[in-house]
Amino acid sequence: MKLEKLELIHLGMPLVHPFETSFGRVSDKETIIVRAESGGVAGWGEAPVAAAPGYSYETVETAWHVIRDFLAPRLKGAEIARAGSLAEHFGFVRGHPMAKAGIEMAVLDLFARAEGVPLWKMIGGSWTEIPTGISLGIEPRVEDLLGRVETAAAAGYRRIKVKIKPGWDVDVVAAVRRRFPTLSLMVDANAAYSLADADRLRRLDDFGLMMIEQPLDPDDLLDHARLQTLLKTPLCLDESIKTPADGRRAIEAGACRVINIKQARMGGPFAAKVLHDLCVAKNIPVWCGGLLETGIGRAHNIALATLPGFSLPGDISASDRYWREDIIDPPVRVDARGSIAVPQGPGLGYTVVESRLKACTRRREPVLG
Ligand code: OSB
Ligand code: MG
């Protein structure tokens, strides 16, 4: 298959509630949608970059630049193998996984729609429903967070993740645990601590947390391994795992006991699947993380999470947890048991609503064709 057209769409979408992490607060989510076209069929992907380089170094501007000036030109006239990774075409660009992932997702959706098969089947998935959780940001007051935990638990979410940072950690988790003694609970620090905080982090062992996500610097597997020996609570890595080889090293080093897999962080669905397979072989539980994706990236995450090793509830929450109106139809819904039903239609199995896309488009540019 040869791509006939590739387009980038820069979106700005207001969140229904601001989302704050240890690296900052976002009220309007910016992202890049990738539309690929061939033989009269369109496929959709998302590079869920942000306006600022807080979670990773990628931003809307870097991804736009890397796709337009390097990745898209490489695909001009190129023969793309069915359901093949784009790694052979993109290997000449170091890093920039979200830029690469957005294109790979769009191409995969295009192949699946052209063949009339669900994308999740094409990548080897099997679950027909996905157990899911929710990630709750830092709030101005503990009472506000408790209210949000209550609403999320009542909605059915199977586990709740609370963002922490120095000054918003032990007391906050203690308050959540006191109010919700049996809740499946975990925390995510987004790299806000160092090994010097080990004593403080050890106090989290008292609260029966499922795991502590990414407490330390993404580049520091050694210190994560040391910290894990000091804690009872399993460590989970997110930002640290950019390639399957990172995953292998982290597991071998004892730097984590759980891995959060994000296809956008890994450069696309194929690398994410390689990491998934490795974790299954090494008996490391995995779950599907999120980056506040629109319905397009969210639908790709649902497809990925049908792979058999995704045994833990992920951060794939319902559309209405993020948006007043999502850009896909139907929106992603979570039922009272905290599950998302996997769509059975071709490709992503959701329709992209172009009028809604248009309403939040800041710029749109053809980069190939
Ligand atoms: O660390 O998992 C993270 C959102 C933005 C950037 C990083 C993270 C998150 C989340 C929310 O935790 C995940 C989601 O609901 O999409
Ligand atoms: Mg995280």
mmCIF file of all heavy atoms in Angstrom, residues 58-95:
data_model
loop_
_atom_site.group_PDB
_atom_site.id
_atom_site.type_symbol
_atom_site.label_atom_id
_atom_site.label_comp_id
_atom_site.label_asym_id
_atom_site.label_seq_id
_atom_site.Cartn_x
_atom_site.Cartn_y
_atom_site.Cartn_z
ATOM 1 N N GLU A 58 8.569 16.189 23.863
ATOM 2 C CA GLU A 58 7.796 16.481 22.658
ATOM 3 C C GLU A 58 6.675 17.490 22.928
ATOM 4 O O GLU A 58 6.035 17.476 23.978
ATOM 5 C CB GLU A 58 7.179 15.198 22.079
ATOM 6 C CG GLU A 58 8.216 14.253 21.493
ATOM 7 C CD GLU A 58 7.588 13.057 20.799
ATOM 8 O OE1 GLU A 58 7.285 13.158 19.580
ATOM 9 O OE2 GLU A 58 7.391 12.029 21.477
ATOM 10 N N THR A 59 6.437 18.350 21.964
ATOM 11 C CA THR A 59 5.351 19.332 22.032
ATOM 12 C C THR A 59 4.627 19.322 20.678
ATOM 13 O O THR A 59 5.069 18.668 19.734
ATOM 14 C CB THR A 59 5.873 20.766 22.267
ATOM 15 O OG1 THR A 59 6.598 21.180 21.089
ATOM 16 C CG2 THR A 59 6.785 20.850 23.490
ATOM 17 N N VAL A 60 3.547 20.077 20.587
ATOM 18 C CA VAL A 60 2.852 20.216 19.308
ATOM 19 C C VAL A 60 3.836 20.678 18.229
ATOM 20 O O VAL A 60 3.870 20.139 17.117
ATOM 21 C CB VAL A 60 1.681 21.218 19.420
ATOM 22 C CG1 VAL A 60 1.102 21.529 18.042
ATOM 23 C CG2 VAL A 60 0.596 20.665 20.349
ATOM 24 N N GLU A 61 4.659 21.664 18.583
ATOM 25 C CA GLU A 61 5.577 22.224 17.579
ATOM 26 C C GLU A 61 6.651 21.232 17.148
ATOM 27 O O GLU A 61 6.988 21.139 15.971
ATOM 28 C CB GLU A 61 6.225 23.512 18.100
ATOM 29 C CG GLU A 61 5.253 24.665 18.267
ATOM 30 C CD GLU A 61 4.491 25.024 16.989
ATOM 31 O OE1 GLU A 61 5.086 25.011 15.893
ATOM 32 O OE2 GLU A 61 3.281 25.301 17.095
ATOM 33 N N THR A 62 7.246 20.483 18.105
ATOM 34 C CA THR A 62 8.308 19.536 17.705
ATOM 35 C C THR A 62 7.719 18.410 16.860
ATOM 36 O O THR A 62 8.324 17.997 15.875
ATOM 37 C CB THR A 62 9.044 18.918 18.922
ATOM 38 O OG1 THR A 62 8.171 18.044 19.646
ATOM 39 C CG2 THR A 62 9.601 19.996 19.856
ATOM 40 N N ALA A 63 6.542 17.911 17.230
ATOM 41 C CA ALA A 63 5.963 16.787 16.491
ATOM 42 C C ALA A 63 5.552 17.230 15.085
ATOM 43 O O ALA A 63 5.748 16.504 14.104
ATOM 44 C CB ALA A 63 4.767 16.202 17.247
ATOM 45 N N TRP A 64 5.000 18.441 15.002
ATOM 46 C CA TRP A 64 4.599 18.978 13.683
ATOM 47 C C TRP A 64 5.831 19.054 12.766
ATOM 48 O O TRP A 64 5.818 18.605 11.622
ATOM 49 C CB TRP A 64 3.982 20.360 13.886
ATOM 50 C CG TRP A 64 3.115 20.832 12.760
ATOM 51 C CD1 TRP A 64 3.536 21.429 11.606
ATOM 52 C CD2 TRP A 64 1.692 20.753 12.690
ATOM 53 N NE1 TRP A 64 2.458 21.733 10.820
ATOM 54 C CE2 TRP A 64 1.315 21.328 11.455
ATOM 55 C CE3 TRP A 64 0.693 20.256 13.535
ATOM 56 C CZ2 TRP A 64 -0.025 21.427 11.055
ATOM 57 C CZ3 TRP A 64 -0.635 20.357 13.130
ATOM 58 C CH2 TRP A 64 -0.973 20.918 11.914
ATOM 59 N N HIS A 65 6.898 19.618 13.314
ATOM 60 C CA HIS A 65 8.169 19.784 12.584
ATOM 61 C C HIS A 65 8.737 18.424 12.154
ATOM 62 O O HIS A 65 9.098 18.233 10.980
ATOM 63 C CB HIS A 65 9.147 20.539 13.499
ATOM 64 C CG HIS A 65 10.574 20.454 13.095
ATOM 65 N ND1 HIS A 65 11.032 20.838 11.845
ATOM 66 C CD2 HIS A 65 11.669 20.032 13.785
ATOM 67 C CE1 HIS A 65 12.350 20.656 11.795
ATOM 68 N NE2 HIS A 65 12.746 20.160 12.956
ATOM 69 N N VAL A 66 8.793 17.488 13.081
ATOM 70 C CA VAL A 66 9.415 16.193 12.786
ATOM 71 C C VAL A 66 8.584 15.414 11.770
ATOM 72 O O VAL A 66 9.127 14.802 10.843
ATOM 73 C CB VAL A 66 9.644 15.392 14.096
ATOM 74 C CG1 VAL A 66 10.008 13.942 13.797
ATOM 75 C CG2 VAL A 66 10.745 16.058 14.924
ATOM 76 N N ILE A 67 7.255 15.482 11.890
ATOM 77 C CA ILE A 67 6.418 14.766 10.919
ATOM 78 C C ILE A 67 6.509 15.426 9.543
ATOM 79 O O ILE A 67 6.769 14.765 8.536
ATOM 80 C CB ILE A 67 4.940 14.710 11.383
ATOM 81 C CG1 ILE A 67 4.805 13.852 12.652
ATOM 82 C CG2 ILE A 67 4.059 14.143 10.272
ATOM 83 C CD1 ILE A 67 3.411 13.874 13.286
ATOM 84 N N ARG A 68 6.299 16.744 9.512
ATOM 85 C CA ARG A 68 6.261 17.433 8.211
ATOM 86 C C ARG A 68 7.599 17.387 7.487
ATOM 87 O O ARG A 68 7.661 17.155 6.285
ATOM 88 C CB ARG A 68 5.835 18.895 8.413
ATOM 89 C CG ARG A 68 5.671 19.660 7.100
ATOM 90 C CD ARG A 68 5.530 21.158 7.326
ATOM 91 N NE ARG A 68 6.638 21.649 8.130
ATOM 92 C CZ ARG A 68 6.602 22.761 8.856
ATOM 93 N NH1 ARG A 68 5.516 23.498 8.874
ATOM 94 N NH2 ARG A 68 7.659 23.130 9.562
ATOM 95 N N ASP A 69 8.703 17.615 8.245
ATOM 96 C CA ASP A 69 9.995 17.781 7.583
ATOM 97 C C ASP A 69 10.822 16.502 7.455
ATOM 98 O O ASP A 69 11.769 16.475 6.677
ATOM 99 C CB ASP A 69 10.808 18.854 8.322
ATOM 100 C CG ASP A 69 10.088 20.209 8.298
ATOM 101 O OD1 ASP A 69 9.329 20.449 7.325
ATOM 102 O OD2 ASP A 69 10.249 20.998 9.238
ATOM 103 N N PHE A 70 10.485 15.475 8.240
ATOM 104 C CA PHE A 70 11.300 14.252 8.185
ATOM 105 C C PHE A 70 10.501 12.972 7.931
ATOM 106 O O PHE A 70 10.826 12.218 7.030
ATOM 107 C CB PHE A 70 12.125 14.107 9.477
ATOM 108 C CG PHE A 70 13.062 15.257 9.693
ATOM 109 C CD1 PHE A 70 12.739 16.296 10.554
ATOM 110 C CD2 PHE A 70 14.268 15.324 8.982
ATOM 111 C CE1 PHE A 70 13.588 17.367 10.729
ATOM 112 C CE2 PHE A 70 15.129 16.401 9.158
ATOM 113 C CZ PHE A 70 14.787 17.421 10.031
ATOM 114 N N LEU A 71 9.459 12.724 8.743
ATOM 115 C CA LEU A 71 8.770 11.430 8.652
ATOM 116 C C LEU A 71 7.891 11.330 7.410
ATOM 117 O O LEU A 71 7.957 10.348 6.671
ATOM 118 C CB LEU A 71 7.951 11.183 9.927
ATOM 119 C CG LEU A 71 8.750 11.202 11.247
ATOM 120 C CD1 LEU A 71 7.807 11.034 12.446
ATOM 121 C CD2 LEU A 71 9.821 10.116 11.262
ATOM 122 N N ALA A 72 7.073 12.341 7.174
ATOM 123 C CA ALA A 72 6.158 12.281 6.019
ATOM 124 C C ALA A 72 6.922 12.196 4.699
ATOM 125 O O ALA A 72 6.566 11.366 3.836
ATOM 126 C CB ALA A 72 5.188 13.462 6.047
ATOM 127 N N PRO A 73 7.962 13.007 4.482
ATOM 128 C CA PRO A 73 8.697 12.898 3.212
ATOM 129 C C PRO A 73 9.247 11.494 2.970
ATOM 130 O O PRO A 73 9.310 11.025 1.836
ATOM 131 C CB PRO A 73 9.848 13.907 3.378
ATOM 132 C CG PRO A 73 9.340 14.910 4.362
ATOM 133 C CD PRO A 73 8.460 14.137 5.305
ATOM 134 N N ARG A 74 9.603 10.787 4.052
ATOM 135 C CA ARG A 74 10.146 9.442 3.912
ATOM 136 C C ARG A 74 9.092 8.454 3.403
ATOM 137 O O ARG A 74 9.424 7.433 2.810
ATOM 138 C CB ARG A 74 10.737 9.005 5.264
ATOM 139 C CG ARG A 74 11.488 7.690 5.258
ATOM 140 C CD ARG A 74 12.608 7.627 4.221
ATOM 141 N NE ARG A 74 13.731 8.485 4.506
ATOM 142 C CZ ARG A 74 14.916 8.065 4.954
ATOM 143 N NH1 ARG A 74 15.111 6.781 5.169
ATOM 144 N NH2 ARG A 74 15.886 8.927 5.160
ATOM 145 N N LEU A 75 7.822 8.789 3.618
ATOM 146 C CA LEU A 75 6.755 7.866 3.185
ATOM 147 C C LEU A 75 6.290 8.140 1.763
ATOM 148 O O LEU A 75 5.512 7.367 1.202
ATOM 149 C CB LEU A 75 5.562 7.950 4.151
ATOM 150 C CG LEU A 75 5.821 7.457 5.580
ATOM 151 C CD1 LEU A 75 4.562 7.608 6.429
ATOM 152 C CD2 LEU A 75 6.312 6.014 5.588
ATOM 153 N N LYS A 76 6.780 9.226 1.166
ATOM 154 C CA LYS A 76 6.346 9.583 -0.186
ATOM 155 C C LYS A 76 6.763 8.489 -1.174
ATOM 156 O O LYS A 76 7.952 8.195 -1.323
ATOM 157 C CB LYS A 76 6.968 10.930 -0.587
ATOM 158 C CG LYS A 76 6.226 11.598 -1.724
ATOM 159 C CD LYS A 76 6.772 12.999 -1.979
ATOM 160 C CE LYS A 76 6.192 13.593 -3.238
ATOM 161 N NZ LYS A 76 4.763 13.908 -3.108
ATOM 162 N N GLY A 77 5.771 7.859 -1.798
ATOM 163 C CA GLY A 77 6.046 6.800 -2.781
ATOM 164 C C GLY A 77 6.494 5.486 -2.176
ATOM 165 O O GLY A 77 6.748 4.516 -2.892
ATOM 166 N N ALA A 78 6.618 5.433 -0.844
ATOM 167 C CA ALA A 78 7.116 4.210 -0.206
ATOM 168 C C ALA A 78 6.031 3.144 -0.139
ATOM 169 O O ALA A 78 4.859 3.454 0.052
ATOM 170 C CB ALA A 78 7.618 4.526 1.202
ATOM 171 N N GLU A 79 6.433 1.890 -0.311
ATOM 172 C CA GLU A 79 5.516 0.758 -0.170
ATOM 173 C C GLU A 79 5.445 0.397 1.310
ATOM 174 O O GLU A 79 6.465 0.147 1.941
ATOM 175 C CB GLU A 79 6.036 -0.420 -1.005
ATOM 176 C CG GLU A 79 5.134 -1.631 -1.043
ATOM 177 C CD GLU A 79 3.738 -1.357 -1.610
ATOM 178 O OE1 GLU A 79 3.608 -0.532 -2.540
ATOM 179 O OE2 GLU A 79 2.769 -1.965 -1.091
ATOM 180 N N ILE A 80 4.218 0.445 1.859
ATOM 181 C CA ILE A 80 4.057 0.147 3.289
ATOM 182 C C ILE A 80 3.451 -1.233 3.442
ATOM 183 O O ILE A 80 2.398 -1.526 2.884
ATOM 184 C CB ILE A 80 3.163 1.206 3.977
ATOM 185 C CG1 ILE A 80 3.814 2.587 3.842
ATOM 186 C CG2 ILE A 80 2.939 0.863 5.440
ATOM 187 C CD1 ILE A 80 2.938 3.719 4.325
ATOM 188 N N ALA A 81 4.129 -2.093 4.207
ATOM 189 C CA ALA A 81 3.679 -3.481 4.388
ATOM 190 C C ALA A 81 2.433 -3.514 5.263
ATOM 191 O O ALA A 81 2.328 -2.754 6.229
ATOM 192 C CB ALA A 81 4.779 -4.312 5.021
ATOM 193 N N ARG A 82 1.508 -4.426 4.935
ATOM 194 C CA ARG A 82 0.272 -4.571 5.694
ATOM 195 C C ARG A 82 0.589 -4.862 7.159
ATOM 196 O O ARG A 82 1.366 -5.751 7.463
ATOM 197 C CB ARG A 82 -0.543 -5.737 5.125
ATOM 198 C CG ARG A 82 -1.792 -6.030 5.922
ATOM 199 C CD ARG A 82 -2.354 -7.403 5.564
ATOM 200 N NE ARG A 82 -3.609 -7.621 6.252
ATOM 201 C CZ ARG A 82 -3.713 -8.237 7.431
ATOM 202 N NH1 ARG A 82 -2.639 -8.649 8.053
ATOM 203 N NH2 ARG A 82 -4.884 -8.399 7.999
ATOM 204 N N ALA A 83 -0.080 -4.099 8.008
ATOM 205 C CA ALA A 83 0.052 -4.304 9.443
ATOM 206 C C ALA A 83 1.502 -4.408 9.866
ATOM 207 O O ALA A 83 1.848 -5.105 10.803
ATOM 208 C CB ALA A 83 -0.721 -5.545 9.887
ATOM 209 N N GLY A 84 2.376 -3.739 9.087
ATOM 210 C CA GLY A 84 3.790 -3.762 9.458
ATOM 211 C C GLY A 84 4.132 -2.524 10.243
ATOM 212 O O GLY A 84 3.481 -1.493 10.130
ATOM 213 N N SER A 85 5.146 -2.630 11.049
ATOM 214 C CA SER A 85 5.629 -1.485 11.786
ATOM 215 C C SER A 85 6.245 -0.486 10.805
ATOM 216 O O SER A 85 6.748 -0.857 9.742
ATOM 217 C CB SER A 85 6.668 -1.971 12.777
ATOM 218 O OG SER A 85 7.623 -0.988 12.987
ATOM 219 N N LEU A 86 6.204 0.792 11.144
ATOM 220 C CA LEU A 86 6.853 1.795 10.300
ATOM 221 C C LEU A 86 8.297 2.030 10.739
ATOM 222 O O LEU A 86 8.963 2.921 10.246
ATOM 223 C CB LEU A 86 6.058 3.107 10.342
ATOM 224 C CG LEU A 86 4.664 3.029 9.690
ATOM 225 C CD1 LEU A 86 3.921 4.356 9.856
ATOM 226 C CD2 LEU A 86 4.782 2.691 8.206
ATOM 227 N N ALA A 87 8.779 1.195 11.671
ATOM 228 C CA ALA A 87 10.121 1.386 12.222
ATOM 229 C C ALA A 87 11.185 1.389 11.119
ATOM 230 O O ALA A 87 12.133 2.161 11.167
ATOM 231 C CB ALA A 87 10.428 0.308 13.265
ATOM 232 N N GLU A 88 11.000 0.538 10.083
ATOM 233 C CA GLU A 88 12.013 0.480 9.018
ATOM 234 C C GLU A 88 12.083 1.810 8.250
ATOM 235 O O GLU A 88 13.109 2.143 7.681
ATOM 236 C CB GLU A 88 11.735 -0.690 8.065
ATOM 237 C CG GLU A 88 10.370 -0.587 7.395
ATOM 238 C CD GLU A 88 10.198 -1.553 6.227
ATOM 239 O OE1 GLU A 88 11.003 -1.503 5.281
ATOM 240 O OE2 GLU A 88 9.222 -2.338 6.251
ATOM 241 N N HIS A 89 10.967 2.540 8.225
ATOM 242 C CA HIS A 89 10.969 3.844 7.542
ATOM 243 C C HIS A 89 11.426 4.957 8.479
ATOM 244 O O HIS A 89 11.957 5.972 8.036
ATOM 245 C CB HIS A 89 9.562 4.179 7.035
ATOM 246 C CG HIS A 89 9.008 3.166 6.083
ATOM 247 N ND1 HIS A 89 9.375 3.114 4.755
ATOM 248 C CD2 HIS A 89 8.137 2.143 6.265
ATOM 249 C CE1 HIS A 89 8.732 2.120 4.155
ATOM 250 N NE2 HIS A 89 7.974 1.508 5.060
ATOM 251 N N PHE A 90 11.171 4.818 9.764
ATOM 252 C CA PHE A 90 11.376 5.927 10.707
ATOM 253 C C PHE A 90 12.637 5.800 11.559
ATOM 254 O O PHE A 90 12.948 6.697 12.350
ATOM 255 C CB PHE A 90 10.159 6.032 11.647
ATOM 256 C CG PHE A 90 8.892 6.484 10.978
ATOM 257 C CD1 PHE A 90 7.669 6.371 11.635
ATOM 258 C CD2 PHE A 90 8.920 7.033 9.700
ATOM 259 C CE1 PHE A 90 6.498 6.798 11.028
ATOM 260 C CE2 PHE A 90 7.733 7.461 9.081
ATOM 261 C CZ PHE A 90 6.517 7.333 9.746
ATOM 262 N N GLY A 91 13.359 4.694 11.384
ATOM 263 C CA GLY A 91 14.543 4.457 12.227
ATOM 264 C C GLY A 91 15.604 5.535 12.114
ATOM 265 O O GLY A 91 16.426 5.707 13.012
ATOM 266 N N PHE A 92 15.583 6.289 10.999
ATOM 267 C CA PHE A 92 16.619 7.312 10.803
ATOM 268 C C PHE A 92 16.392 8.550 11.668
ATOM 269 O O PHE A 92 17.265 9.414 11.755
ATOM 270 C CB PHE A 92 16.706 7.696 9.320
ATOM 271 C CG PHE A 92 15.600 8.621 8.869
ATOM 272 C CD1 PHE A 92 15.866 9.969 8.604
ATOM 273 C CD2 PHE A 92 14.290 8.141 8.705
ATOM 274 C CE1 PHE A 92 14.847 10.818 8.186
ATOM 275 C CE2 PHE A 92 13.277 8.979 8.299
ATOM 276 C CZ PHE A 92 13.548 10.325 8.036
ATOM 277 N N VAL A 93 15.221 8.646 12.306
ATOM 278 C CA VAL A 93 14.953 9.758 13.231
ATOM 279 C C VAL A 93 15.105 9.239 14.655
ATOM 280 O O VAL A 93 14.441 8.275 15.047
ATOM 281 C CB VAL A 93 13.528 10.330 13.039
ATOM 282 C CG1 VAL A 93 13.152 11.300 14.168
ATOM 283 C CG2 VAL A 93 13.417 11.030 11.692
ATOM 284 N N ARG A 94 15.990 9.869 15.418
ATOM 285 C CA ARG A 94 16.168 9.453 16.805
ATOM 286 C C ARG A 94 15.073 10.066 17.669
ATOM 287 O O ARG A 94 14.764 11.251 17.533
ATOM 288 C CB ARG A 94 17.546 9.916 17.320
ATOM 289 C CG ARG A 94 17.855 9.403 18.720
ATOM 290 C CD ARG A 94 19.213 9.880 19.208
ATOM 291 N NE ARG A 94 20.308 9.484 18.327
ATOM 292 C CZ ARG A 94 20.859 8.258 18.294
ATOM 293 N NH1 ARG A 94 20.414 7.332 19.107
ATOM 294 N NH2 ARG A 94 21.850 7.992 17.479
ATOM 295 N N GLY A 95 14.477 9.226 18.529
ATOM 296 C CA GLY A 95 13.489 9.749 19.478
ATOM 297 C C GLY A 95 12.186 10.157 18.811
ATOM 298 O O GLY A 95 11.753 9.588 17.823
#
